[in-house]
Amino acid sequence: MSKTADVVHEIYDRLMSAYGRQGWWPGDSDTETVVGAILTQNTAWTNVERALANLRKASAVDWAVLRDLSDAKIAEMIRPAGTFRVKTLRLRAFVSTLWSQHAGSLGNMLSGDLAEVRNRLLAIHGIGPETADAILVYAGHRPSFVVDAYTRRVLRRHGLVTPDESRSYEIVQRVFHRSLEPDAEMFNEYHALLVKVAKRHCRNRATCAGCPLVELPHDESL
DNA sequence: TGCCAGGCCGGGT
DNA sequence: ACCCGGCATGGC
């Protein structure tokens, strides 16, 4: 048992004890989860919710409906999410691939060999590593750890990766994959908990106090 | 008021 | 292999 794995487990246990289950995207359809994953790229979640509300009102959280909607209509509805022209094209690319390669079935698209499914997602214009993993975990219920800026920061701060290593998505993800059992439900919670703790405590030095991880060995300068 | 949010792409080094 | 500018709304 490596020391790294112990710390990775310890962090999870502490965050879960402090905050409990986050239950990200619990009642939403997998379809809405995918749309949300694309809309939330570099965007505050409150803005994504407005966009999703517009789509719901138009019954557009549906692959066939989205397929038949014009770019202009989609752009208008998702406008509150920001970068809406770009995201319209990204949704279009996803819908297009879903129909051309998977008969419009998300379940079909997300089943099969995990590495292959992930590579297929990455091949879609606008789906990068984080969005692909978010789709896999939160919509596909597959164990592929989501790495974001918060994740990198926590690993860095607690000495699980060097600042240099923390820039590599691959390296950061590997820390989790080598330390944890491949459990989609746990990966779901772990990522959500990291976002939670970082938002509360990592904004600046002053908010560090009270962090559930403050008693673990760490370097505040990171 | 500026900076940032649950990134990604394309072009340049 | 990295680094950077662009994308754009709403909240603090």
Side-chain angles (χ1 to χ4, degrees):
Chain A
M1 170 82 79
S2 77
K3 205 183 289 183
T4 297
D6 290 342
V7 179
V8 171
H9 281 95
E10 179 73 16
I11 289 173
Y12 180 71
D13 291 342
R14 282 174 171 272
L15 294 178
M16 184 56 81
S17 296
Y19 301 131
R21 292 174 56 83
Q22 300 301 295
W24 272 16
W25 287 315
D28 298 340
S29 68
D30 293 334
T31 294
E32 181 164 321
T33 300
V34 171
V35 173
I38 292 171
L39 293 182
T40 197
Q41 290 171 355
N42 198 38
T43 300
W45 183 250
T46 52
N47 289 354
V48 176
E49 287 184 318
R50 295 165 201 268
L52 285 175
N54 291 339
L55 292 171
R56 271 190 231 108
K57 201 183 321 171
S59 304
V61 185
D62 178 294
W63 302 119
V65 172
L66 281 173
R67 177 194 57 194
D68 298 333
L69 234 32
S70 70
D71 283 4
K73 290 283 192 185
I74 294 176
E76 180 188 347
M77 289 189 282
I78 71 170
R79 184 170 199 161
T83 58
F84 56 90
R85 294 182 193 83
V86 169
K87 285 170 182 171
T88 294
L89 296 181
R90 291 178 181 179
L91 284 174
R92 179 71 67 208
F94 189 92
V95 171
S96 169
T97 297
L98 184 65
W99 282 101
S100 69
Q101 297 183 24
H102 307 283
S105 164
L106 186 64
N108 175 322
M109 183 187 213
L110 301 180
S111 21
D113 180 81
L114 182 53
E116 287 178 16
V117 174
R118 187 173 191 271
N119 283 332
R120 265 184 257 134
L121 288 172
L122 290 175
I124 299 172
H125 184 88
I127 306 293
E130 185 181 339
T131 306
D133 289 328
I135 289 171
L136 284 167
V137 171
Y138 291 100
H141 314 284
R142 309 292 306 268
S144 198
F145 206 94
V146 180
V147 173
D148 63 7
Y150 298 141
T151 312
R152 298 172 200 269
R153 180 165 193 171
V154 172
L155 285 205
R156 207 162 55 221
R157 173 165 285 202
H158 294 281
L160 297 172
V161 294
T162 66
D164 229 25
E165 291 169 335
S166 75
R167 289 193 225 125
S168 161
Y169 194 99
E170 269 284 315
I171 290 175
V172 173
Q173 187 180 51
R174 198 152 54 220
V175 169
F176 291 96
H177 284 179
R178 293 186 354 177
S179 301
L180 303 167
E181 292 304 308
D183 178 342
E185 182 53 34
M186 194 232 327
F187 283 13
N188 171 333
E189 289 297 331
Y190 204 151
H191 172 65
L193 287 165
L194 286 170
V195 171
K196 176 96 167 181
V197 70
K199 284 179 105 141
R200 281 218 186 160
H201 295 286
C202 292
R203 290 199 156 281
N204 55 59
R205 230 44 84 56
T207 57
C208 228
C211 174
L213 306 180
V214 76
E215 296 164 33
L216 294 179
H218 67 283
D219 182 346
E220 289 185 18
S221 68
L222 302 176

